[in-house]
């Protein structure tokens, strides 16, 4: 259920990015499979009681950072060269949040898979 809601949210957010949808939509082919794989792996490991203690936290951080990325990713304006953000006047802060959340996503994903490999 949670993965379905997340997938629909990401798809909707990707389509609302105007001209930046050319970047946001292809990123779905990276973000969604990685998130689904991480969540399914975490759930199966928790069910089998073979999960490393940090796996649940890292999976949550990964999901939260992906959500933060899609919310902070800029939207292209209506043909004007200006970039529009969801929150008016917070352009610099949202640019930083967008970059930081992408980095956190990658780090959390790598650390999750290292923790998963330790517990095999």
């Amino acid at each position: 259920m949670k993965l379905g809601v997340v997938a629909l949210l990401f798809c909707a957010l990707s389509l609302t990015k105007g001209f930046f949808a050319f970047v946001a939509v292809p990123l779905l082919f990276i973000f969604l499979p990685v998130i689904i794989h991480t969540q399914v792996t975490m759930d199966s490991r928790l069910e089998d009681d073979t999960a490393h203690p940090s796996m649940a936290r890292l999976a949550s951080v990964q999901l939260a950072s992906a959500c933060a990325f899609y919310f902070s990713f800029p939207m292209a304006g209506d043909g004007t060269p200006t970039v529009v953000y969801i929150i008016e006047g917070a352009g610099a802060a949202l640019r930083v949040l967008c970059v930081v959340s992408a980095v956190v996503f990658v780090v959390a994903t790598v650390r999750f898979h290292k923790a998963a490999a330790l517990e095999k």
Side-chain angles (χ1 to χ4, degrees), residues 33-54:
V34 171
I35 290 170
I36 290 169
H37 175 70
T38 300
Q39 295 293 325
V40 168
T41 301
M42 183 196 63
D43 289 342
S44 67
R45 291 288 187 88
L46 287 174
E47 188 176 291
D48 296 341
D49 201 28
T50 60
H52 189 271
S54 65

Side-chain angles (χ1 to χ4, degrees), residues 22-91:
F22 290 116
V23 175
V25 172
L27 282 175
L28 285 176
F29 295 109
I30 296 170
F31 275 99
L32 286 179
V34 171
I35 290 170
I36 290 169
H37 175 70
T38 300
Q39 295 293 325
V40 168
T41 301
M42 183 196 63
D43 289 342
S44 67
R45 291 288 187 88
L46 287 174
E47 188 176 291
D48 296 341
D49 201 28
T50 60
H52 189 271
S54 65
M55 287 177 71
R57 184 181 72 241
L58 289 169
S60 297
V61 167
Q62 181 199 52
L63 185 61
S65 63
C67 290
F69 175 80
Y70 267 92
F71 276 111
S72 63
F73 194 75
M75 297 183 285
D78 55 352
T80 61
T82 59
V83 174
V84 180
Y85 286 90
I86 293 172
I87 303 169
E88 206 50 48

